[in-house]
Amino acid sequence: MGVWGKYNWSEKKAHHNLENDIFFRGKFLTSEDELCIVCADLFAETGNDPFQMIHIPNGGSRTAWEGRNFKRMGVRAGVPDYLMSNKEGKPVAWFEFKFGKNGLSENQKRFQAWTGLPFVIIRTPDEFLKSLKELGL
């Protein structure tokens, strides 16, 4: 069985007229945070070292004081959600998770053009697993 188990995702999506929700392992994922958590769990299941997938928590609500301090410490808008490394610790790609029809922000586009590493956009657990395989992770 594939990642979706016994479910045929295309049929399920058409049958339920689901536009953005992702059905994975018996439950619907309804946000980018849930997608990130599922993919981090999948990465852990691969047996890779946890330091190979590093989350960069740029988003979220902060007070003005926290936002100012984080910016002064080097937090930058547009930096992707994860930095992926190989087993030797060499960075190999940036992963940006998007949910539904969300696209890249202007700052993310600038970062994508700036970086010398692959910039992978992940929308589903299947895309995540496929990207890991393609990158040799």
Side-chain angles (χ1 to χ4, degrees):
M1 276 193 251
V3 172
W4 299 109
K6 64 181 180 178
Y7 298 99
N8 180 321
W9 174 239
S10 299
E11 288 177 15
K12 191 156 192 74
K13 186 173 181 180
H15 177 72
H16 291 284
N17 195 23
L18 303 173
E19 193 60 36
N20 295 322
D21 291 349
I22 299 167
F23 191 73
F24 184 75
R25 292 187 177 173
K27 76 174 235 176
F28 284 100
L29 307 180
T30 59
S31 70
E32 184 176 311
D33 287 350
E34 288 180 3
L35 176 61
C36 287
I37 290 166
V38 164
C39 291
D41 288 345
L42 286 171
F43 190 79
E45 289 174 14
T46 67
N48 284 319
D49 190 309
F51 287 117
Q52 287 178 254
M53 183 176 180
I54 300 169
H55 177 59
I56 299 152
N58 274 352
S61 298
R62 296 187 169 88
T63 66
W65 180 85
E66 288 172 319
R68 188 172 44 256
N69 280 348
F70 277 122
K71 189 172 184 177
R72 290 177 67 200
M73 288 187 282
V75 170
R76 298 292 178 257
V79 175
D81 296 312
Y82 289 90
L83 177 61
M84 306 298 288
S85 300
N86 62 17
K87 291 193 184 296
E88 291 76 42
K90 180 181 176 188
V92 295
W94 294 99
F95 277 31
E96 175 60 34
F97 286 76
K98 291 293 180 188
F99 193 80
K101 295 180 182 179
N102 292 343
L104 295 178
S105 69
E106 289 305 313
N107 284 327
Q108 288 170 331
K109 290 175 185 176
R110 286 180 51 220
F111 188 94
Q112 183 182 30
W114 170 82
T115 187
L117 293 175
F119 188 102
V120 183
I121 299 170
I122 304 293
R123 293 187 177 277
T124 68
D126 279 339
E127 287 178 0
F128 177 73
L129 291 172
K130 180 181 177 189
S131 296
L132 290 179
K133 189 172 187 176
E134 288 173 354
L135 291 165
L137 300 173

